[in-house]
Amino acid sequence: MNHSDLLAKAPSLAAGMAAADHSPDTQLAQTRHRAALVASWHITPGSTVLELGCGQGDMTAVLAEAVGPKGRVVAVDVADPSYGTPVTLGESAARLAAGPLGPRIDFRFGTDVLDPSVDFPESTFDHVVLAHCSWYFASLGQLRDTLVRVRPWARRLWFTEWDLTPASDDQLAHLLAVLIQGQTEAAGSHGQGNVRTPFSREGLLRLLPEAGWTADGSQPVDTEELQDGDWEIAACLDLVGSDERLAMLPEPVRQLVLSQLDVLRAIAKPRGNRALAAYSVTAR
């Protein structure tokens, strides 16, 4: 499926997501972003795909459209189906399963591929996909172990994540929000946010050979329409009201975080903060 065909499908794919009932414009922007990503990858009809960190299925729906009725997407997430708001992972998956893409998707929540009981024969999948999920990992070591684990199962890796290097000053608020959350997690005060282990594109490229993968391409990804900058800034500022999480930090780290939060409040806009760019890496 070419770029224009998949992008043309984005409105109907977005409308099929449960979250579209609450924020249709937001869902469309998120779906269009993922459609552009998949359209730039070599996922042909009939392909088999393992998606790690599928969440509510934003990428899953696009992948299922790309593989066609003879393809298959196994969508895995460690989270419980009850996780998420205003729509849970289970509710979103149920909506997709009941629609035309349902027969192509196998959702597996509460599933950790590092569990020895989770296994697939060698080369079961044509592709393994991690899309905007790698910062959820507890550590780079856990991510490396996961990439090692899935290496025999798939021929090709498609990986996309936010790029820590800002391209313009209006992305600095998103960057600072990410770094504050990463510092808080690294210091031992753990939460349930999207950002736990932020790392750079260069960090990923250093990690891939350790996990048995050879990168063969990297490109920037436009995120102009996305709202994730606002979301992460709001999540970060919520730390101010979380006395328990701040109290868990060593005092020097707590003071550093409080000072950075002061800076974030000074530079962030109430809404419309520009998101960081993203990058896409392919490996085999």
Side-chain angles (χ1 to χ4, degrees):
M1 180 173 290
N2 64 41
H3 187 275
S4 59
D5 287 343
L6 198 52
L7 281 177
K9 292 278 190 177
S12 62
L13 292 173
M17 300 293 296
D21 295 345
H22 302 270
S23 303
D25 292 342
T26 296
Q27 183 61 63
L28 178 58
Q30 294 290 329
T31 301
R32 284 180 56 84
H33 170 65
R34 286 158 176 81
L37 275 168
V38 175
S40 71
W41 300 343
H42 302 292
I43 297 180
T44 57
S47 295
T48 53
V49 179
L50 174 64
E51 182 193 4
L52 303 183
C54 65
Q56 294 190 337
D58 290 317
M59 177 60 86
T60 313
V62 177
L63 290 169
E65 179 64 38
V67 302
K70 294 184 179 180
R72 179 175 179 239
V73 179
V74 176
V76 172
D77 203 294
V78 296
D80 187 85
S82 63
Y83 178 79
T85 183
V87 177
T88 68
L89 305 190
E91 289 168 341
S92 188
R95 175 75 69 88
L96 282 172
L101 299 176
R104 312 174 191 180
I105 303 172
D106 177 6
F107 280 108
R108 302 187 185 187
F109 295 114
T111 300
D112 183 354
V113 297
L114 292 179
D115 187 323
S117 66
V118 180
D119 200 7
F120 297 96
E122 186 172 344
S123 299
T124 295
F125 302 99
D126 298 305
H127 312 279
V128 59
V129 170
L130 288 88
H132 292 300
C133 68
S134 60
W135 287 0
Y136 284 74
F137 282 78
S139 67
L140 275 177
Q142 186 186 50
L143 174 61
R144 181 192 60 244
D145 292 346
T146 299
L147 292 173
V148 169
R149 176 70 170 153
V150 303
R151 183 66 189 90
W153 302 342
R155 299 181 180 90
R156 197 75 183 266
L157 169 70
W158 305 95
F159 187 107
T160 188
E161 193 50 270
W162 301 101
D163 192 337
L164 281 180
T165 303
S168 61
D169 290 348
D170 55 0
Q171 294 173 322
L172 290 175
H174 187 191
L175 172 63
L176 185 54
V178 165
L179 294 178
I180 292 170
Q181 291 180 79
Q183 290 168 23
T184 303
E185 290 282 336
S189 180
H190 303 302
Q192 297 297 317
N194 300 342
V195 179
R196 300 177 189 179
T197 307
F199 55 87
S200 64
R201 181 182 68 89
E202 292 78 9
L204 173 71
L205 293 175
R206 289 191 295 269
L207 186 70
L208 286 175
E210 298 178 22
W213 293 92
T214 300
D216 58 7
S218 177
Q219 61 183 9
V221 178
D222 179 59
T223 59
E224 190 68 34
E225 296 183 5
L226 299 185
Q227 307 84 2
D228 297 66
D230 284 347
W231 296 342
E232 294 307 336
I233 290 166
C236 189
L237 292 176
D238 281 346
L239 285 173
V240 177
S242 179
D243 293 335
E244 181 179 351
R245 285 201 67 192
L246 292 178
M248 292 172 62
L249 296 171
E251 185 59 18
V253 178
R254 191 177 77 87
Q255 293 299 333
L256 176 61
V257 166
L258 287 172
S259 292
Q260 290 177 100
L261 287 166
D262 290 336
V263 176
L264 181 59
R265 281 193 293 266
I267 67 174
K269 297 184 290 187
R271 61 182 302 174
N273 293 276
R274 186 179 177 192
L276 289 165
Y279 63 87
S280 173
V281 168
T282 64
R284 65 180 71 206

